[in-house]
Every structure is written in C-alpha cells, then in structure tokens.
Amino acid sequence: TIKCCSEDRTHIRPDADPECMPIMFRREKNFIGNCMEFVRSMPIKDRFDNVKKPREHMNVVTSFLDASPVYGSDHERLEKVKDHTHGYLMNMTLDDYLPSN
C-alpha cells in the first residue's frame, strides 16, 4: 500500500511516492489529522509496455454485485420474495416496493 501522509496525518511524507496526490484540509473534529490519503489510478499499459494517457480507472476488485438486500441471503428468503407465477419478485400493489417482511 502506498502511503502519502505522515503517520499522524498532519503533513505529506517527504518520501511520498510520485503517484501520491493527498488531499489536505482544515483539521476537523471527526477526522484525525488534516491529510487524507489519495493515490492516482494505476497506469494501464498497452502491449508494447507504453503507458496509456489519459489514465483510466481499472477495476481490480470484482464485477460481482451483492443483491442480497433484494433477493435475500439464502434460498428460503428468495422464495418469500418471488411471486411464483411469472418469475418476478413480489411487489406491493400501491407503490411497487418490495415486501418489507
């Protein structure tokens, strides 16, 4: 992990990586220090190892969407929210919201 701010978050580290672009702000009650870590997106290289410009965000996490708040976390909950007639989720007739229980 690239560190841009000092340990106490009061200033930018003198040895900060060139990719660092920390955000400095007034000291607030709800935040320790006044330096917030921020690092540029990784450069994307073409097949010849040339850096593409401008930089584009590369998603390295996952494309998985957590839909458990809608469909439930288990098969039993899923069966409770399905309408069992057309392959749709149940909804309340007035506002088209999902069931609350």
Side-chain angles (χ1 to χ4, degrees):
T1 305
I2 297 175
K3 294 287 186 187
C4 304
C5 299
S6 63
E7 292 297 321
D8 62 358
R9 296 186 183 180
T10 58
H11 61 276
I12 300 170
R13 297 170 58 115
D15 62 340
D17 190 283
E19 301 299 312
C20 283
M21 299 184 80
I23 301 167
M24 300 298 294
F25 53 91
R26 286 184 307 133
R27 186 173 225 139
E28 298 287 334
K29 292 183 203 175
N30 298 334
F31 193 81
I32 299 169
N34 57 341
C35 181
M36 183 168 35
E37 303 283 351
F38 184 80
V39 180
R40 293 185 66 192
S41 298
M42 291 187 326
I44 298 173
K45 297 182 178 183
D46 64 16
R47 62 185 179 154
F48 304 109
D49 209 31
N50 297 317
V51 175
K52 288 179 70 175
K53 297 193 184 214
R55 291 189 186 204
E56 297 176 14
H57 179 71
M58 184 172 70
N59 187 353
V60 293
V61 182
T62 177
S63 62
F64 177 76
L65 296 176
D66 180 7
S68 62
V70 176
Y71 298 103
S73 298
D74 55 35
H75 186 71
E76 181 181 346
R77 178 67 178 155
L78 174 61
E79 291 302 314
K80 289 181 180 178
V81 297
K82 286 168 61 174
D83 78 350
H84 296 286
T85 55
H86 300 92
Y88 298 114
L89 294 176
M90 287 191 314
N91 59 12
M92 302 174 117
T93 57
L94 296 177
D95 297 325
D96 287 337
Y97 289 119
L98 293 173
S100 60
N101 56 8

